[in-house]
Amino acid sequence: MKVAIAGSGALGCGFGYLLQKNGNAVTLMDYWEDHIQSIRENGLTISINGEVDNAKMTIGKPEEIEDKFDVIFVFTKSMGLRSMMEAIKHTIKEDTQIVCLLNGLGHAQTLSEYVSQKNIIMGTTVWTAGIDAPGVTHFMGQGPVELQNADPSQEEAARKVEALLSEAGLNGVYSEDVHFTIWRKACVNGTMNALCALLDGTIKEVFESSQIDFLLNHIVSEFAQLARTEGVELDVEETIVYLKALALKVGSHYPSMHQDLANRRLTEIDFLNGTVARESEAKGLEAPYCQMITQLIHAKEDVLGISK
Amino acid sequence: MKVAIAGSGALGCGFGYLLQKNGNAVTLMDYWEDHIQSIRENGLTISINGEVDNAKMTIGKPEEIEDKFDVIFVFTKSMGLRSMMEAIKHTIKEDTQIVCLLNGLGHAQTLSEYVSQKNIIMGTTVWTAGIDAPGVTHFMGQGPVELQNADPSQEEAARKVEALLSEAGLNGVYSEDVHFTIWRKACVNGTMNALCALLDGTIKEVFESSQIDFLLNHIVSEFAQLARTEGVELDVEETIVYLKALALKVGSHYPSMHQDLANRRLTEIDFLNGTVARESEAKGLEAPYCQMITQLIHAKEDVLGISK
């Protein structure tokens, strides 16, 4: 199959490499000049669970690519999804399937502006990856990549991508719970990440605060209220138990949104609490905690001088 | 008159000194051992607008004082008011007047548990003061001290204290606006102070944020909604204009609540947004922004390891 990776950082390179190795025609797309140049000149050097290989791969900026693809994996940051879709829309055919494994909420909605609902596949993955240098990446784990159509009543596209991934060793798994998993992951990020970023504390410090029950209860309830309107049942009590167990396990570190601020990068708050605030308002629901935390995180970005 | 100062830090010493100098029998009450010992051994050394004097003054812990007083000025931190009232209740007679110039909301309510409504005088002051060493303080400005009975329909007690203060050079002024002034000051502290403390920014940085209008609008509206139930009209738009003008004037510094956190002291948030949240809930009103900001500031205190 003709496959494109829209956003070829560490995770995108891992997927692209394994898919190409299994006989698919893969095109990497990215905007990082040094990375593109290095892969063009020296091939992609990739370590898969410690085993290093070098592969010649096609890579270019979206605007330079003239092909159309059967499947496109989007691996951007949440805030980069829309502009990436704009940049690659000339590579999309009637039946191109778009696979989105990004964290955060609202992505299926964005994708539906570019492809028909039946061709949107949402998913989550536990593969991890990192960039060692331009053109040099590593990729770790064993998956799975859980997949489900954006419209859960359809499954054809997700089944097809499940097979594509599994044949390539990426451990694709069709799941009827992907939407729940995406919501719960967003809820983890919208509580743990957002609060640690705002309060400048470790997960342990924030979860040991006398205020944690109030804060979790309000935020999770707002996520659950909106999830329900999308057919996803997020039990508030169960989610809080899950969050607290997770906090105990991951304890003394700063989550990624805290690191974003520390490294002067914009956060993904608009795709977490921000989406809950915005979509709740559109549906006539109240979500003041998500609304305020979104405003406070943006204010914090402003105070730190992080520009859009 | 027999006057006591309950909480004899810098401001309390200034008031006590000037009232004694004008012929009143003044007793200072405090808990700071070094301060008490120094004043007992060496008298109070005080600089009033640069003019230094030394005066013998009576000082002791509330529990050591056996007198009852005509007027008691409370000069504690907000969170110390209740325990101070407990400690001094044996010094209160049927007609003792309590004068409260503290920042924050809800103090008249606390005082009403100890004295009858007609003997509670609320006020504000622009005198400033500082402690140089135990027993050595300075006191600056020219006042005024604006006063009004807790129950605005009565004025006898406030008129009496107005005279007491003015005769002592403390510039007492009876005002029909004290309750408005207290609310507006609380609103300044509940926006400017709370947001700068939470976001770790200067007033200028926070007020230049793209989010400031959303945040001010919500918080001020919640203050105004509760103020109205107490007969105080806080116009939301006018208050926001006032806050922005004040922010331009005081600009590049960190307000006091930010300094509290930086110096690992508990904040007075419970007597600002916390009171709005609690009282609104008691009255069936919504105040989610004040509620959340109170929880977040307390969580921040917890993360910083500041204990109650």
Side-chain angles (χ1 to χ4, degrees):
Chain A
M1 278 205 275
K2 289 182 74 167
V3 176
I5 308 290
S8 300
L11 215 50
C13 282
F15 274 68
Y17 166 82
L18 287 172
L19 287 164
Q20 174 173 296
K21 199 174 173 190
N22 192 48
N24 297 287
V26 174
T27 299
L28 305 178
M29 301 195 274
D30 208 77
Y31 283 100
W32 185 18
E33 305 268 8
D34 291 350
H35 192 50
I36 294 172
Q37 198 184 331
S38 173
I39 291 175
R40 280 181 177 161
E41 289 175 10
N42 313 310
L44 170 70
T45 300
I46 186 166
S47 153
I48 308 271
N49 286 323
E51 195 162 324
V52 180
D53 192 16
N54 180 277
K56 190 168 157 46
M57 296 200 71
T58 302
I59 186 165
K61 293 187 185 172
E63 293 76 7
E64 299 165 354
I65 309 296
E66 289 174 1
D67 277 344
K68 291 188 191 293
F69 300 95
D70 301 314
V71 180
I72 300 175
F73 290 83
V74 287
F75 279 119
T76 61
K77 289 279 260 180
S78 290
M79 44 279 222
L81 181 59
R82 184 180 298 279
S83 63
M84 181 59 86
M85 291 308 294
E86 279 298 320
I88 67 171
K89 62 185 179 191
H90 64 283
T91 72
I92 299 174
K93 311 177 284 177
E94 184 69 28
D95 62 348
T96 298
Q97 282 148 13
I98 306 284
V99 185
C100 174
L101 310 180
L102 306 191
N103 278 332
L105 301 171
H107 301 317
Q109 176 66 34
T110 304
L111 295 177
S112 72
E113 297 169 27
Y114 298 91
V115 292
S116 69
Q117 190 73 6
K118 71 177 193 303
N119 288 324
I120 301 172
I121 299 126
M122 302 305 293
T124 60
T125 181
V126 293
W127 286 100
T128 60
I131 296 230
D132 302 310
V136 184
T137 69
H138 56 269
F139 190 68
M140 288 172 306
Q142 52 180 18
V145 181
E146 296 196 24
L147 301 159
Q148 189 176 18
N149 274 50
D151 173 358
S153 71
Q154 305 184 318
E155 19 184 300
E156 195 191 327
R159 292 284 183 193
K160 196 169 128 189
V161 174
E162 175 193 23
L164 174 73
L165 291 174
S166 284
E167 285 161 18
L170 280 155
N171 194 4
V173 176
Y174 180 83
S175 161
E176 286 179 1
D177 278 338
V178 162
H179 295 283
F180 171 78
T181 307
I182 289 172
W183 268 96
R184 191 156 75 172
K185 231 169 152 177
C187 203
V188 171
N189 291 327
T191 51
M192 202 174 272
N193 279 21
L195 290 171
C196 290
L198 191 58
L199 297 170
D200 192 15
T202 62
I203 294 167
K204 182 170 154 56
E205 286 168 342
V206 168
F207 272 68
E208 282 177 354
S209 160
S210 57
Q211 306 300 306
I212 193 67
D213 285 330
F214 302 126
L215 291 165
L216 290 183
N217 203 343
H218 280 281
I219 300 172
V220 173
S221 296
E222 293 176 4
F223 271 79
Q225 175 184 246
L226 184 64
R228 191 165 305 124
T229 69
E230 301 194 1
V232 173
E233 219 32 70
L234 207 62
D235 183 84
V236 174
E237 270 183 53
E238 188 274 335
T239 305
I240 290 175
V241 168
Y242 173 82
L243 282 165
K244 288 186 169 179
L246 188 62
L248 275 178
K249 215 163 61 183
V250 294
S252 309
H253 84 268
Y254 293 103
S256 61
M257 198 184 293
H258 185 281
Q259 294 174 34
D260 286 338
L261 292 182
N263 294 310
R264 302 291 188 271
R265 288 190 301 254
L266 285 174
T267 70
E268 297 191 314
I269 195 76
D270 281 339
F271 302 91
L272 300 165
N273 311 66
T275 300
V276 174
R278 202 172 53 246
E279 293 293 313
S280 295
E281 194 182 359
K283 293 178 177 177
L285 303 168
E286 303 271 322
Y289 269 59
C290 283
Q291 182 178 292
M292 190 185 196
I293 210 166
T294 303
Q295 292 164 356
L296 287 169
I297 292 281
H298 282 316
K300 185 82 192 163
E301 291 168 345
D302 292 338
V303 165
L304 291 170
I306 306 170
S307 60
K308 292 204 168 56
Chain B
M1 275 205 276
K2 289 181 74 166
V3 177
I5 309 291
S8 299
L11 214 51
C13 281
F15 273 69
Y17 167 82
L18 287 172
L19 287 164
Q20 174 174 294
K21 199 173 173 189
N22 193 48
N24 298 287
V26 174
T27 298
L28 305 178
M29 300 195 274
D30 208 78
Y31 282 100
W32 185 19
E33 304 269 6
D34 291 353
H35 192 52
I36 293 172
Q37 199 185 329
S38 174
I39 292 173
R40 280 181 176 159
E41 288 175 9
N42 312 310
L44 171 70
T45 300
I46 186 166
S47 154
I48 308 271
N49 286 324
E51 195 162 322
V52 181
D53 192 16
N54 180 279
K56 191 168 156 46
M57 297 199 71
T58 301
I59 186 165
K61 294 187 184 169
E63 293 75 7
E64 300 165 355
I65 308 296
E66 289 174 1
D67 277 345
K68 292 190 190 292
F69 300 95
D70 302 314
V71 180
I72 300 175
F73 290 84
V74 287
F75 280 117
T76 61
K77 289 278 260 180
S78 291
M79 45 280 221
L81 181 60
R82 184 178 298 278
S83 63
M84 180 60 86
M85 291 308 294
E86 279 298 319
I88 67 171
K89 64 185 177 191
H90 65 283
T91 72
I92 299 174
K93 311 177 284 178
E94 185 69 27
D95 62 349
T96 298
Q97 283 148 14
I98 306 283
V99 186
C100 173
L101 310 180
L102 306 190
N103 278 331
L105 301 171
H107 301 316
Q109 176 67 32
T110 304
L111 295 176
S112 71
E113 297 169 26
Y114 298 91
V115 293
S116 69
Q117 189 74 5
K118 70 178 194 303
N119 289 324
I120 301 171
I121 300 124
M122 301 305 293
T124 60
T125 181
V126 295
W127 286 99
T128 60
I131 296 232
D132 303 309
V136 184
T137 69
H138 58 269
F139 191 68
M140 289 172 307
Q142 52 181 18
V145 181
E146 297 195 25
L147 301 159
Q148 188 176 18
N149 274 51
D151 173 358
S153 71
Q154 305 184 319
E155 22 183 297
E156 195 190 325
R159 292 283 183 198
K160 198 170 127 187
V161 175
E162 174 193 24
L164 174 72
L165 291 174
S166 285
E167 285 160 18
L170 280 155
N171 194 5
V173 176
Y174 180 84
S175 161
E176 287 179 0
D177 278 336
V178 163
H179 295 283
F180 171 78
T181 307
I182 289 172
W183 269 96
R184 190 155 77 172
K185 231 170 152 177
C187 203
V188 171
N189 291 327
T191 50
M192 203 173 272
N193 280 19
L195 290 172
C196 290
L198 191 58
L199 297 171
D200 192 15
T202 62
I203 294 167
K204 181 170 154 60
E205 286 168 343
V206 168
F207 272 68
E208 283 178 353
S209 160
S210 57
Q211 306 299 308
I212 194 67
D213 285 331
F214 302 124
L215 291 164
L216 290 183
N217 203 347
H218 280 280
I219 300 171
V220 172
S221 296
E222 292 176 5
F223 271 78
Q225 174 183 248
L226 184 64
R228 191 166 305 123
T229 69
E230 300 194 2
V232 173
E233 220 31 71
L234 207 61
D235 183 84
V236 174
E237 270 183 54
E238 188 275 333
T239 304
I240 290 175
V241 169
Y242 173 81
L243 282 165
K244 288 186 168 179
L246 189 61
L248 274 180
K249 213 163 64 183
V250 293
S252 310
H253 85 268
Y254 294 103
S256 62
M257 198 183 294
H258 185 281
Q259 293 173 34
D260 286 337
L261 292 182
N263 294 311
R264 302 292 187 272
R265 287 190 303 254
L266 286 175
T267 69
E268 297 190 316
I269 195 76
D270 281 340
F271 303 91
L272 300 164
N273 311 66
T275 300
V276 174
R278 203 172 51 246
E279 293 295 311
S280 295
E281 193 182 359
K283 292 179 179 178
L285 303 170
E286 302 271 323
Y289 269 60
C290 282
Q291 182 177 292
M292 190 186 195
I293 210 165
T294 304
Q295 292 164 356
L296 288 169
I297 292 282
H298 282 316
K300 184 84 191 163
E301 292 168 345
D302 292 337
V303 165
L304 292 170
I306 307 170
S307 59
K308 292 202 168 58

